[in-house]
Amino acid sequence: MKKTPLLVLALAVAPAFAANQDEAMTALAKNAGCLTCHHIEPGAKGPDGMAPIGPAWRDVAAKYKGVKGAQAQLTATVMKGSSPYESHWKGQVSGLSMPPNAVAIKEADAKKLVGWILALETKK
Ligand code: HEC
């Protein structure tokens, strides 16, 4: 019985932590300029009603679900940029490739952000 209050506290804190995490990650993405090209939710249009410049992050989560090493691979892509000759989202986005973001975000932060992106649940 002694342990009950701690357990109750942990249960109450967990959702608040998740919400804070969402806020922190959204702020990080905004500050690093990611949200100029990316939406979190699929379906939103880019400038002039064209396809969005980059893939929606919920779509990224769906594409790499269960893929081993996705976090490391995507963190490297975010830092170094993607190759227009090897587009992973051809035809789905209006941007040809992602420029390197190393000037805008630290690698450790990019890794955290990518981890958060990959954990986004796919909308049913
Ligand atoms: C100038 C526009 C632009 C900015 C800024 C940008 N991206 Fe991208 N991003 C793209 C495009 C375009 C693609 C699609 C590349 C492709 O087709 O392979 C992409 C792809 C991605 C992917 C998937 C890569 C893959 O190989 O499937 C992730 C993850 C991602 N971006 C995260 C980020 C993060 C995090 C930031 C901010 C630090 C960011 N992006 C900033 C345009 C951008």
Side-chain angles (χ1 to χ4, degrees), residues 33-34 37-38 53 55 64 74 78 82 87-89 97-99 101:
C34 317
C37 299
H38 291 278
I53 298 172
Y64 293 98
L74 293 178
V78 167
S82 67
S87 183
H88 290 157
W89 295 87
S97 69
M98 175 158 62
N101 290 287

Side-chain angles (χ1 to χ4, degrees), residues 5-107:
L6 246 189
L7 180 67
V8 169
L9 187 69
L11 288 177
V13 163
F17 176 77
N20 283 344
Q21 185 76 349
D22 287 352
E23 245 171 60
M25 290 298 119
T26 314
L28 183 60
K30 209 174 162 194
N31 288 337
C34 317
L35 300 184
T36 329
C37 299
H38 291 278
H39 292 284
I40 295 171
E41 304 299 335
K45 291 280 178 212
D48 302 329
M50 292 189 337
I53 298 172
W57 282 346
R58 229 179 260 285
D59 291 339
V60 173
K63 180 177 173 122
Y64 293 98
K65 197 172 182 184
V67 176
K68 267 200 187 146
Q71 188 175 10
Q73 185 206 317
L74 293 178
T75 302
T77 306
V78 167
M79 297 311 282
K80 294 183 205 145
S82 67
S83 163
Y85 302 109
E86 233 183 282
S87 183
H88 290 157
W89 295 87
K90 204 174 184 160
Q92 298 171 65
V93 296
S94 60
L96 272 183
S97 69
M98 175 158 62
N101 290 287
V103 284
I105 194 165
K106 284 196 223 111
E107 184 158 5

